Amino acid sequence: MCHSARIMIFSLLAMPPSAGCGTAPVEERSAVTIVVSGDTGGWIVPCGCTANQSGGLLRRGSYLQRLRKTGLVLYADVGGAVTGTSEYDRLKFEAILRGEAAMGIVAHNIGTAEARLGAEFLRQIAPKHRVPLLTCNVRDASDDLLGERFRIVKAGGRKIVFVGVLSDSEAISDVRIDSPRKAILSALSESAVDYDSLVVLAYLPEDELNELAANLPEADLIVGGPTGQSIPPHRQGPTSIASATNKGKFLAVFATPASFPVHWEGEVVEITARFEDEPQQKANLDEFYETLGQRDLSPLQTSFADRLSTDAPESFRIAGTANCRNCHTADCEAWDGSRHAHAWESLTKTGAQVDAYCQQCHVTGFGLPGGFESARRSAMHAAVGCESCHGPSYGHVQNQQVHTTYFGRAHDQCTSCHDRENSPTFVYAAYWEQIQHGAGDANEQRNEE
């Protein structure tokens, strides 16, 4: 059968034994809960640089385990699993799919990030990790859909149809995106399958999400992203609409009782530290870290490569903290006692020292000329050193009359790592007291702070 016309139907209902020869089994009606995640954005696990961070596959797995103890649960994802197309992002996407497969996912919609990974890659890894990638409006150059058109799940004595769409305002090379509403209606008309509930996984901005809900009364649930912030479930006509977004910190959860007609009630659940790490998801994270350790990727093999300077002058080069000690002894001694000097060690406690996302803020000169290259090749730069704040200083080391790159504005670099996500309590004046230096040696007359 043509790839773009596949129809997937499977049952999560345990059939009771037949009452006698030739007697058809009777489907028992039961309550059903649908859980939808979205916009994971590569966050397999929260950063961990501050307390009270939410999200992560480990806690998501724990939440689903708890919920399944109370009844039948269907889990789906609206898309946006990663943020780039590099080798690093592809490895992370596969790790996320492995985690979702372990959580029994019934459908993963193709969002912007997934579509950018390309048809060939998606068709290779979907069966590999046993995750049904879904789309009824994203097509390749041959006009074939990049995933399954829809999926019908028999659960709780009812048929639930999942369809997935991506905003047609996206511009992605080698991909054509049909009108979401028309694609959904076309898929349903061609299926000729009766159903009790229609669930739309819609990777659309908020205005398009609302417009789709207003013009698609056939849908029972429309769950979207990216919408900036999660949107609690609310009704628009006969349709319940919600959004699960923002680094996978929130889940949209809908439940319907065993009785008919079907009526869905929903809420948004924040995945906080009250949910423990689920062992199978922890094993998946460890496998991901092991793979990264084996690959030992350079910054140019990550999604952060486009932020790196490729045409900088020779002076814009990392010299290394060791070269600073000759003239700035007191400053370096102050640095030795700071947490910056032990930033790498904080990663090794969890195994995250192999993850480029973490490396950026825990090393010196990530991807810059002369700076951090990889976990195995850059031991001398495995910490937050002088040039993390003062900038590449090779030119200054060669000629002390040449100022360091960020002379007079080193403090501006703080918020590149101490942002609202990873350091929400950051206040420069208070944090500066913990690392204060710049007096008592050759740098006194050029105190940059």
Side-chain angles (χ1 to χ4, degrees), residues 22-91:
T23 302
V26 178
E27 293 188 358
E28 294 181 353
R29 294 177 180 175
S30 61
V32 177
T33 299
I34 294 177
V35 177
V36 182
S37 57
D39 260 355
T40 297
W43 284 56
I44 296 179
V45 65
C47 169
C49 286
T50 187
N52 302 320
Q53 289 186 321
S54 302
L57 299 192
L58 282 65
R59 295 173 181 171
R60 190 184 302 175
S62 177
Y63 172 78
L64 287 169
Q65 268 194 354
R66 289 193 197 182
L67 201 59
R68 283 178 171 137
K69 291 179 180 179
T70 66
L72 185 58
V73 177
L74 305 181
Y75 167 52
D77 189 273
V78 80
V82 290
T83 58
T85 61
S86 67
E87 182 177 354
Y88 167 79
D89 291 291
R90 289 168 184 259
L91 292 173

Side-chain angles (χ1 to χ4, degrees), residues 181 184-185 188 195 197-198 213 215-221 238-239:
R181 179 178 178 275
I184 293 169
L185 294 176
L188 295 177
Y195 58 86
S197 294
L198 170 62
N215 293 283
L216 193 69
E218 295 87 350
D220 294 274
L221 307 177
T239 305

Side-chain angles (χ1 to χ4, degrees), residues 18-291:
S18 299
C21 181
T23 302
V26 178
E27 293 188 358
E28 294 181 353
R29 294 177 180 175
S30 61
V32 177
T33 299
I34 294 177
V35 177
V36 182
S37 57
D39 260 355
T40 297
W43 284 56
I44 296 179
V45 65
C47 169
C49 286
T50 187
N52 302 320
Q53 289 186 321
S54 302
L57 299 192
L58 282 65
R59 295 173 181 171
R60 190 184 302 175
S62 177
Y63 172 78
L64 287 169
Q65 268 194 354
R66 289 193 197 182
L67 201 59
R68 283 178 171 137
K69 291 179 180 179
T70 66
L72 185 58
V73 177
L74 305 181
Y75 167 52
D77 189 273
V78 80
V82 290
T83 58
T85 61
S86 67
E87 182 177 354
Y88 167 79
D89 291 291
R90 289 168 184 259
L91 292 173
K92 180 169 280 190
F93 185 48
E94 291 200 62
I96 290 172
L97 292 187
R98 283 198 307 269
E100 290 180 344
M103 288 184 263
I105 195 165
V106 299
H108 182 119
N109 181 46
I110 293 178
T112 303
E114 289 83 358
R116 286 176 176 163
L117 289 170
E120 182 179 353
F121 177 71
L122 294 180
R123 289 173 182 150
Q124 173 188 351
I125 64 170
K128 175 182 176 182
H129 298 293
R130 297 173 291 107
V131 172
L133 296 179
L134 211 62
T135 186
C136 65
N137 77 326
V138 183
R139 300 178 179 276
D140 63 15
S142 299
D143 207 37
D144 286 331
L145 292 171
L146 268 60
E148 299 172 12
R149 171 161 284 179
F150 57 84
R151 185 160 259 241
I152 301 175
V153 180
K154 293 182 179 180
R158 68 201 79 202
K159 293 178 182 178
I160 302 173
V161 177
F162 288 85
V163 297
V165 290
L166 172 61
S167 170
D168 57 357
S169 64
E170 292 284 356
I172 303 172
S173 60
D174 301 322
V175 164
R176 178 171 68 83
I177 305 174
D178 300 329
S179 162
R181 179 178 178 275
K182 289 181 179 179
I184 293 169
L185 294 176
S186 175
L188 295 177
S189 65
E190 290 180 19
S191 69
V193 176
D194 292 330
Y195 58 86
D196 298 296
S197 294
L198 170 62
V199 180
V200 180
L201 306 173
Y203 201 81
L204 310 174
E206 186 171 358
D207 59 337
E208 294 181 27
L209 194 67
N210 289 325
E211 182 181 357
L212 180 63
N215 293 283
L216 193 69
E218 295 87 350
D220 294 274
L221 307 177
I222 297 181
V223 187
T227 54
Q229 296 294 328
S230 292
I231 300 173
H234 60 282
R235 297 193 70 81
Q236 190 165 21
T239 305
S240 290
I241 181 173
S243 175
T245 188
N246 194 7
K247 302 180 178 67
K249 298 177 184 179
F250 301 90
L251 300 175
V253 182
F254 301 88
T256 187
S259 60
F260 275 72
V262 176
H263 178 69
W264 297 96
E265 294 291 341
E267 63 176 334
V268 166
V269 176
E270 184 176 2
I271 304 303
T272 66
R274 73 181 187 274
F275 301 108
E276 66 277 7
D277 290 349
E278 196 274 317
Q280 193 170 5
Q281 296 299 322
K282 176 61 167 64
N284 180 48
L285 174 66
D286 292 341
E287 181 180 347
F288 173 60
Y289 283 163
E290 182 179 358
T291 300

Side-chain angles (χ1 to χ4, degrees), residues 251-419:
L251 300 175
V253 182
F254 301 88
T256 187
S259 60
F260 275 72
V262 176
H263 178 69
W264 297 96
E265 294 291 341
E267 63 176 334
V268 166
V269 176
E270 184 176 2
I271 304 303
T272 66
R274 73 181 187 274
F275 301 108
E276 66 277 7
D277 290 349
E278 196 274 317
Q280 193 170 5
Q281 296 299 322
K282 176 61 167 64
N284 180 48
L285 174 66
D286 292 341
E287 181 180 347
F288 173 60
Y289 283 163
E290 182 179 358
T291 300
L292 290 181
Q294 293 170 351
R295 298 292 182 92
D296 199 37
L297 301 178
S298 72
L300 291 176
Q301 293 172 290
T302 73
S303 56
F304 315 108
D306 57 356
R307 307 178 193 173
L308 306 179
S309 300
T310 57
D311 57 352
E314 178 63 23
S315 60
F316 192 82
R317 185 178 183 84
I318 296 295
T321 299
N323 280 303
C324 303
R325 292 185 182 278
N326 297 328
C327 298
H328 302 281
T329 306
D331 290 342
C332 288
E333 288 177 353
W335 175 82
D336 288 338
S338 73
R339 294 178 66 181
H340 280 166
H342 304 283
W344 184 259
E345 296 169 24
S346 67
L347 295 183
T348 61
K349 294 176 182 178
T350 63
Q353 76 277 5
V354 295
D355 193 329
Y357 182 87
C358 302
Q359 290 170 353
Q360 294 178 94
C361 289
H362 289 253
V363 303
T364 303
F366 179 85
L368 295 177
F372 182 87
E373 294 182 36
S374 74
R376 287 206 298 263
R377 290 172 282 177
S378 304
M380 75 293 291
H381 297 311
V384 176
C386 303
E387 291 162 288
S388 295
C389 300
H390 298 283
S393 302
Y394 179 80
H396 176 68
V397 170
Q398 297 300 307
N399 180 0
Q400 294 182 23
Q401 299 305 310
V402 175
H403 291 317
T404 54
T405 305
Y406 304 136
F407 178 77
R409 51 189 176 88
H411 60 278
D412 291 344
Q413 308 311 306
C414 298
T415 53
S416 63
C417 289
H418 291 281
D419 57 17

